Each structure stands twice: as structure tokens, then as C-alpha cells.
């Protein structure tokens, strides 16, 4: 469509909206009258640098750690070396500590925790006892705990967390 005014003519394609065209005209007018030293960029999107780092990529299925824009995501951690929930939970949380250290962060910066238990009615209390002894009491993450079938028979728990790096 064509928008015409006595002193100026503006040709707008069908992709440019009338409000955008008018906002650009206002910005140009303000800039020309020296109210602003340069046109503001109110119609442009700000760009942010996106960074992604992957650590522990030797497993063909997944990365052990992904750091994206200062957020650390770790893969689900399990332990099949013992047969009781307290020891499996302690071993899993040790693995979580080790992965967080590799990503230059720690449990005081946890944001979320997801916990899967093979038998929640049997193991929830004992798992919580170990968890409560491990977690930073001043920096608790949000947490969800559910019952789930595990990939291997001997696994009783799986834990996955996200954490900030700063």
C-alpha cells in the first residue's frame, strides 16, 4: 500500500505494518530535531550471546553435563553397587557433587532436583534422611520425587539436578 503526505511519500510493502512505519517516522523526526543524539533502537530485538558447553560426551546416548548460559544440567545419576536405598542415595549424591565440581559449581547453587524411586512407599523416608544430610539447608532447590520403573533391576534411585554457575 502507499501512504502519502504532502512533504513525504512512504512506500510500504505488505510486510511492514502501519504502526511500525509510523513509529519509525516519529523516531526519525525526533532525531532530526536533535532531541535525541541518535535514534533509539526500540524496534530491534536485543541479542544475547548463547553459549553451550558439553562435558563427558563419551557415552553415545548423552552428555554427562551440559552448561547452557550459566545453567548446569547433569544427566540422571544412579548407583547399582549396593542393594539398600541409603547407600545408593549417598553414592548417587557423591556422583552429583563430582559432576557439579567438574562444571565449576556446587550444591549451594542448585535450582532443581528430580528424584525417581523404584519403591516410593518403602524408600522415601530413608532417601530423605540421606538427602537432608547432604543438601545445603540455606540453598534448597525446588524438588520433585516420584516412583518409577528403573532401567536395571538393582537400581533403587535416580537423581538429576540443575544448578547455576554464578
Amino acid at each position: 500500500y502507499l501512504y502519502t503526505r504532502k512533504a513525504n511519500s512512504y512506500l510500504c510493502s505488505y510486510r511492514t505494518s502501519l504502526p511500525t512505519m509510523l513509529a519509525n517516522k516519529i523516531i526519525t523526526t525526533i532525531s532530526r530535531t536533535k532531541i535525541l543524539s541518535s535514534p533509539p533502537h526500540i524496534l530491534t530485538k536485543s541479542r544475547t550471546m548463547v553459549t553451550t558447553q558439553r562435558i563427558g560426551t563419551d557415552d553415545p546416548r548423552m552428555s554427562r553435563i551440559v552448561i547452557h548460559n550459566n545453567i548446569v544440567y547433569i544427566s540422571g545419576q544412579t548407583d547399582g553397587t549396593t542393594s539398600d536405598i541409603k547407600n545408593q542415595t549417598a553414592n548417587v549424591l557423591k556422583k552429583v557433587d563430582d559432576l557439579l565440581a567438574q562444571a565449576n559449581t556446587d550444591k549451594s547453587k542448585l535450582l532443581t532436583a528430580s528424584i525417581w524411586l523404584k519403591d516410593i512407599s518403602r524408600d522415601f523416608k530413608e532417601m530423605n534422611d540421606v538427602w537432608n544430610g547432604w543438601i545445603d539447608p540455606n540453598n534448597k532447590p525446588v524438588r520433585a520425587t516420584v516412583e518409577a520403573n528403573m532401567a536395571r533391576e538393582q537400581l533403587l534411585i535416580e537423581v538429576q539436578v540443575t544448578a547455576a554457575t554464578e
Side-chain angles (χ1 to χ4, degrees):
Y1 51 84
L2 184 64
Y3 171 76
T4 308
R5 194 170 164 183
K6 243 181 190 183
N8 301 313
S9 292
Y10 301 99
L11 180 62
C12 295
S13 71
Y14 63 92
R15 291 186 184 110
T16 305
S17 68
L18 186 58
T20 301
M21 183 186 68
L22 293 174
N24 285 332
K25 175 62 179 163
I26 292 168
I27 290 168
T28 304
T29 303
I30 291 171
S31 296
R32 284 186 186 155
T33 58
K34 308 265 188 237
I35 294 172
L36 298 173
S37 59
S38 64
H41 301 292
I42 62 169
L43 300 179
T44 60
K45 292 181 181 177
S46 64
R47 294 188 180 176
T48 333
M49 178 102 164
V50 175
T51 60
T52 301
Q53 178 185 7
R54 299 174 195 288
I55 302 170
T57 58
D58 51 320
D59 186 322
R61 300 167 294 168
M62 65 187 151
S63 298
R64 292 179 61 75
I65 304 167
V66 174
I67 305 169
H68 179 74
N69 286 345
N70 299 322
I71 303 294
V72 176
Y73 303 86
I74 70 165
S75 60
Q77 298 303 300
T78 61
D79 177 69
T81 62
T82 67
S83 60
D84 67 289
I85 190 64
K86 282 193 171 204
N87 285 324
Q88 278 197 23
T89 302
N91 292 345
V92 164
L93 295 176
K94 170 71 172 113
K95 288 180 178 183
V96 169
D97 280 333
D98 292 344
L99 290 171
L100 292 173
Q102 286 181 47
N104 296 316
T105 191
D106 59 58
K107 64 187 170 189
S108 72
K109 296 177 184 150
L110 288 180
L111 302 172
T112 67
S114 297
I115 301 172
W116 295 270
L117 293 174
K118 184 174 186 174
D119 187 338
I120 201 165
S121 60
R122 179 190 70 203
D123 295 334
F124 187 73
K125 182 186 177 325
E126 288 182 323
M127 179 278 300
N128 263 336
D129 291 342
V130 177
W131 174 269
N132 291 340
W134 174 79
I135 197 71
D136 180 337
N138 297 317
N139 297 291
K140 296 176 245 180
V142 296
R143 187 185 104 172
T145 305
V146 297
E147 183 173 280
N149 292 323
M150 296 294 168
R152 293 190 319 261
E153 186 62 31
Q154 70 270 27
L155 299 178
L156 303 177
I157 184 170
E158 183 169 351
V159 176
Q160 181 186 30
V161 302
T162 61
T165 58
E166 299 172 359

